[in-house]
Each structure stands twice: as C-alpha cells, then as structure tokens.
C-alpha cells in the first residue's frame, strides 16, 4: 500500500510535493527482479496518479532497469535479497536494496563504462551508474549491506525540459561507509 503525503511547509501541486515510502514488495524469500520492477512502477504510478500527474515513460523504463539490476545483483552476488524499499520523492525515486553480502560491488562507484571483455562483470553497474544518482553502500552492523540509489523522474507533459544527460552528472554523488572492493 502506498501512502502519499504533502510536506507542511510547501504549497503547490503534483508529484513535486509528495513522498511515498513502500517497504518490501514481497517477502524477500522468493522475490524476483520482475516482482520488484512491477512493485516499483506501481508505487510511482499510484503516487503520481494521486497527484494527477504521470512520469515520462522513458524514466519508468530507466527505473525498471535499475531495479532489475540491483535486485538481480542482490540475489546472485549478495547472498540473497533481504529487503527492498521504494520511496517516491519530489522528482525521483529512491530505491534501497538489502542483501546478505558484505562486499562492496566493484562497479558501484564507477563512471558507467561498459566492459570491453566479459570477465565476470557485466553491464549491471554501468547501467545503474548511468541511470541513477546518489549511489550509497552501507554495511549493516549484523552483516550484509544496503545499496541505495536515486532514479530521476520528470513529468510526462514537460515539453520544455531537456533530456537528462546519461553517463555521469555533476549533481550526482557517491559514498560508501566501507569502500573495500568486492564482487557482489
């Protein structure tokens, strides 16, 4: 269930004023990238729809790609998905994906270059780094980690807004509480 709220200190309309937090779409056991994608998209559509708006389809596709890669990485390389959270914000979506692994992914803070050879690392992190902003990796005190990103969203009816630049933006930032490299 999605709950949209308007900040008290801001007037205005539309998705620019809403925040909706949606914890785990399905129990982590048996969760799939497909179920996470569907859940994230539904959360965005519900929150934006409640505000009478719709995000651009290409931004929803970007969101789906990022969700797929993050959840697939947690399942394949992180020892399994432990939690998944979608937070719809002013002009984007924050995703938080938890897994059991302690290793910080090798490509988590890269510039988004695609591999020239396929030596075990694929296209996932380059896609995430090109489509998302504000990548953070936090190790949890009892083991495992949570990787969070923000995927920008724009209103569908915004004909004047330039297309978002792909591949590294000056406004994005990355951090890690423990930047030791790993393969997750």
């Amino acid at each position: 269930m999605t709950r949209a709220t308007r900040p008290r200190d801001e007037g205005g309309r539309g998705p620019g004023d809403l925040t909706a937090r949606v914890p785990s779409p399905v129990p982590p056991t048996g969760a799939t990238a497909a179920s996470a994608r569907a859940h994230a998209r539904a959360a965005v559509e519900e929150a934006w729809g409640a505000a009478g708006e719709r995000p651009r389809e290409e931004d929803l596709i970007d969101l789906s790609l990022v969700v797929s890669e993050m959840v697939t990485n947690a399942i394949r390389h992180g020892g399994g998905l432990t939690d998944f959270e979608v937070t719809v914000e002013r002009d984007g979506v924050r995703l938080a994906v938890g897994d059991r692994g302690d290793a910080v992914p090798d490509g988590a803070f890269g510039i988004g270059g695609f591999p020239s050879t396929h030596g075990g690392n694929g296209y996932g992190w380059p896609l995430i780094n090109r489509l998302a902003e504000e990548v953070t990796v936090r190790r949890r005190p009892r083991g495992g980690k949570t990787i969070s990103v923000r995927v920008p969203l724009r209103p569908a009816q915004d004909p004047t807004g330039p297309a978002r630049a792909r591949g590294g933006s000056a406004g994005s930032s990355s951090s890690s509480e423990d930047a030791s490299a790993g393969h997750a």
Side-chain angles (χ1 to χ4, degrees):
M1 182 182 326
T2 303
R3 188 183 80 211
T5 59
R6 293 187 181 275
R8 291 181 205 184
D9 59 340
E10 294 185 28
R13 63 167 186 80
D17 296 328
L18 63 84
T19 298
R21 174 162 281 149
V22 185
S24 189
V26 293
T29 304
T32 65
S35 64
R37 278 191 313 269
H39 183 71
R41 186 176 181 118
V44 169
E45 289 176 344
E46 182 178 339
W48 280 58
E53 301 271 352
R54 177 154 177 74
R56 291 184 182 189
E57 185 62 28
E58 60 265 32
D59 292 350
L60 290 172
I61 292 168
D62 289 354
L63 174 64
S64 292
L65 286 167
V66 172
V67 168
S68 288
E69 292 301 331
M70 290 180 68
V71 170
T72 298
N73 284 345
I75 293 168
R76 282 187 167 169
H77 307 292
L81 182 67
T82 59
D83 53 274
F84 178 78
E85 186 173 276
V86 176
T87 304
V88 182
E89 296 181 329
R90 322 193 68 151
D91 57 354
V93 179
R94 289 198 184 275
L95 302 170
V97 176
D99 65 36
R100 292 178 179 85
D102 291 324
V104 175
D106 286 337
F109 305 111
I111 58 170
F114 292 112
S116 57
T117 62
H118 196 41
N121 293 327
Y123 293 92
W125 274 107
L127 281 172
I128 292 168
N129 288 326
R130 286 173 180 230
L131 301 176
E133 306 169 333
E134 301 173 22
V135 174
T136 60
V137 177
R138 289 199 170 85
R139 290 187 178 195
R140 296 189 302 247
R142 296 181 188 189
K145 67 182 169 299
T146 300
I147 298 177
S148 301
V149 301
R150 183 181 173 283
V151 179
L153 293 177
R154 300 163 293 170
Q157 68 275 15
D158 183 9
T160 61
R164 178 169 79 246
R166 304 280 188 219
S169 76
S172 66
S173 63
S174 301
S175 69
S176 173
E177 290 183 1
D178 187 345
S180 60
H183 297 286

